[in-house]
Amino acid sequence: MELTAIRTLKLEIAATEQKLLALRENAQSITAKLDGLPRSQSLTSKVEKFAAQIVDAENELSRLVIEFAESGEELTTLIKQRVKGNAATVLYRRYILCENFKEIADAMSYSENNIYYLHRQGVRSFSLKNP
């Protein structure tokens, strides 16, 4: 498993949520124009198409959220197994909690340079033990 898997899933979840929001807004904005002219009878309506797309997006979002939770647990276990000490804490905060280096430094009461050093150590340890 890659260290960046959680961050990638988080971006996919955000993109899917934006898509779902746009689909819902488009579905709500559909209105029939009543001008008295006859219309062709199509076999599927726009509302039906949007409803199907919304359901598909909701299913995709649910799948991504489940995958996000499972991947988070798996990556946390791998970090604990492969990396020791404060380097493991830095990797956990960086790749599971998705914090930036300044936030990690503030939380751990270290300088950013120390966090960068611990991060390099952690990534090296994680990669060396990566089967």
Side-chain angles (χ1 to χ4, degrees):
M1 172 172 271
E2 298 275 331
L3 281 172
T4 57
I6 299 297
R7 299 179 121 210
T8 303
L9 283 171
K10 199 171 191 179
L11 291 173
E12 287 181 38
I13 288 171
T16 305
E17 286 174 339
Q18 287 298 319
K19 178 182 174 183
L20 187 57
L21 181 65
L23 285 170
R24 286 180 177 154
E25 287 176 359
N26 286 338
Q28 288 178 350
S29 67
I30 294 175
T31 56
K33 294 181 182 176
L34 301 176
D35 56 8
L37 297 174
R39 302 275 180 229
S40 66
Q41 301 294 324
S42 68
L43 298 176
T44 59
S45 70
K46 288 182 181 180
V47 174
E48 185 179 352
K49 288 178 186 176
F50 278 120
Q53 289 175 345
I54 288 170
V55 169
D56 290 343
E58 287 174 343
N59 290 338
E60 176 69 8
L61 184 60
S62 296
R63 185 192 65 76
L64 286 171
V65 168
I66 290 168
E67 186 178 346
F68 179 80
E70 291 171 351
S71 296
E73 291 174 13
E74 182 181 344
L75 187 57
T76 299
T77 302
L78 290 174
I79 289 172
K80 287 179 182 179
Q81 290 173 349
R82 298 177 183 175
V83 185
K84 302 298 176 209
N86 287 331
T89 304
V90 171
L91 290 185
Y92 176 79
R93 295 184 80 91
R94 178 77 177 149
Y95 295 105
I96 304 297
L97 302 179
C98 299
E99 294 178 346
N100 63 39
F101 290 110
K102 180 163 178 29
E103 292 170 333
I104 297 168
D106 291 343
M108 294 179 68
S109 299
Y110 284 124
S111 70
E112 279 190 63
N113 287 336
N114 281 342
I115 297 301
Y116 290 129
Y117 175 76
L118 289 170
H119 180 262
R120 280 191 306 274
Q121 277 187 323
V123 169
R124 197 172 301 127
S125 295
F126 187 87
S127 297
L128 288 175
K129 297 176 183 174
N130 193 359

